[in-house]
Structures are given as C-alpha cells and as structure tokens.
Amino acid sequence: MPLILFNKPFQVMSQFSAHPERETLSDYLDIPDIYPAGRLDADSEGLLLLTDDGKLQHEISHPRRKQTKTYLAQVEGEASPQALERLRNPLDLGDFVTQRGEARLIQEPGWLWPRNPPIRERKNQPTSWIALTISEGKNRQVRRMTAAVGLPTLRLIRIAIGPFSLATHPVLPGEWREVDPLELEK
C-alpha cells in the first residue's frame, strides 16, 4: 500500500481523468490504482497525498480525523495583528464558521520555488506571507478566510498534511516520493 507525497504544480487538476484545458495528475504520476486523499484546487500548489488504500485515504482526508493542514499564503496587503487574530479564531464565511486555527506572519520562504507563471505584482501594493494551519479543509477555505479579513490570496501553497511536510520530505513541483504510511500514527 504505497503512500505517495506529490508536490502539485500550479494549474494542475487534482484528478487523473483527462481535463480539456489543464494538466492532471496522470501527466506526473504513472502508478496504478492510486487516488488523492483530499484535493487542491487548480490555483493552489503544494502537498497532495495519494494512496491505493481506501481506508488510509479515508484516514487522511475525512474531516473527523482532524489531520492538520499547513498552508503558506502570499496575500495582498499588510497582514495586521488584528487580521491574524481573526484568522486564528472561528470566522463566519457565510455558509459555515471555521474552527480555530493557527495564523502567523512569516518572511517569504527562501526555499520556495518560483511560480510559473509568476503572480502579478503591483508596485504600490505590498504583499505579506502568512502561515495558516487548519484542521478542516472546505472548498477554497483558506482563500475565503484571507479575503474575509481583507487580505486576498495571491499565491497558496500547502506545505504539510499531518506529519508529512515538504520541509521534512522535500520534493519540487511535479515530483513525488513514496513515504511510510505508519508516520501517520506518530
């Protein structure tokens, strides 16, 4: 039962079936009978876990299991202490209220790969980098959270799911490696 750690590039669909306009996981992974344990939208980059084990897939992706997910978000504007506090606390997004999480201002990571194509930069508009850790993962949740506090997301990279992190298991965009599923139990 392989557990595959894959660094999903920007604009790649989190599916194996063909897409009329975009690359999919099948353009990067030629491993039979594996499926993603969760998704990343096309505009997001970073860590995606895949497995051929349905029970393991459920263990990783089911909301009741509370696998934390850490994201790096480059946002438009300067992240104030008040905005970060709002991101940490339950936030009403209209159709649901988020659970408590972690949010902190960080420097742009020196190890981060360039995005292709790069984000649009405006000389008169500063940007900030925020590290966000949440235990849920509703559709476009992090983007909706940052927008709700007045900091639209320009770039979003998931760097960790539970114990698996691109910091401890480095792979470049489009690359993958097999990891030990028992690490989930640590």
Side-chain angles (χ1 to χ4, degrees):
M1 96 176 118
L3 181 59
I4 304 299
L5 185 151
F6 176 63
N7 188 339
K8 187 190 89 61
F10 181 68
Q11 293 297 305
V12 171
M13 301 299 290
S14 294
Q15 64 191 41
F16 282 96
S17 56
H19 188 276
E21 300 162 2
R22 296 194 174 136
E23 290 181 308
T24 67
L25 298 176
S26 62
D27 292 298
Y28 295 90
L29 297 151
D30 187 21
I31 303 168
D33 302 320
I34 61 169
Y35 302 93
R39 302 180 75 78
L40 275 175
D41 64 37
D43 294 337
S44 299
E45 313 165 63
L47 184 60
L48 192 62
L49 297 177
L50 302 101
T51 183
D52 65 349
D53 182 319
K55 185 177 177 184
L56 181 58
Q57 182 183 25
H58 180 78
E59 188 71 26
I60 295 166
S61 61
H62 197 279
R64 286 193 199 113
R65 302 291 182 225
K66 304 287 188 224
Q67 291 289 339
T68 59
K69 297 161 192 76
T70 301
Y71 298 83
L72 301 182
Q74 183 180 15
V75 296
E76 189 174 276
E78 294 184 29
S80 68
Q82 295 82 6
L84 293 170
E85 187 62 25
R86 287 186 65 205
L87 289 169
R88 287 183 200 108
N89 290 306
L91 188 59
D92 187 348
L93 297 179
D95 54 337
F96 72 97
V97 176
T98 65
Q99 297 173 4
R100 283 192 57 79
E102 297 174 27
R104 60 188 170 83
L105 187 62
I106 61 168
Q107 294 295 314
E108 180 176 354
W111 55 264
L112 192 59
W113 57 90
R115 193 182 85 176
N116 185 19
I119 66 157
R120 62 171 169 71
E121 295 202 25
R122 299 190 331 215
K123 291 181 181 170
N124 296 329
Q125 183 64 46
T127 65
S128 305
W129 282 89
I130 300 172
L132 287 156
T133 300
I134 59 175
S135 60
E136 50 197 345
K138 305 213 188 243
N139 188 34
R140 300 183 74 81
Q141 179 175 338
V142 172
R143 291 177 187 281
R144 292 177 63 196
M145 289 171 67
T146 62
V149 300
L151 299 167
T153 295
L154 300 172
R155 185 175 183 193
L156 186 61
I157 305 131
R158 181 163 58 198
I159 61 163
I161 301 171
F164 300 105
S165 166
L166 292 176
T168 57
H169 300 87
V171 288
L172 293 172
E175 294 181 356
W176 62 271
R177 69 188 291 177
E178 192 167 340
V179 293
D180 186 352
L182 293 177
E183 287 185 52
L184 275 173
E185 298 170 9
K186 292 180 180 175

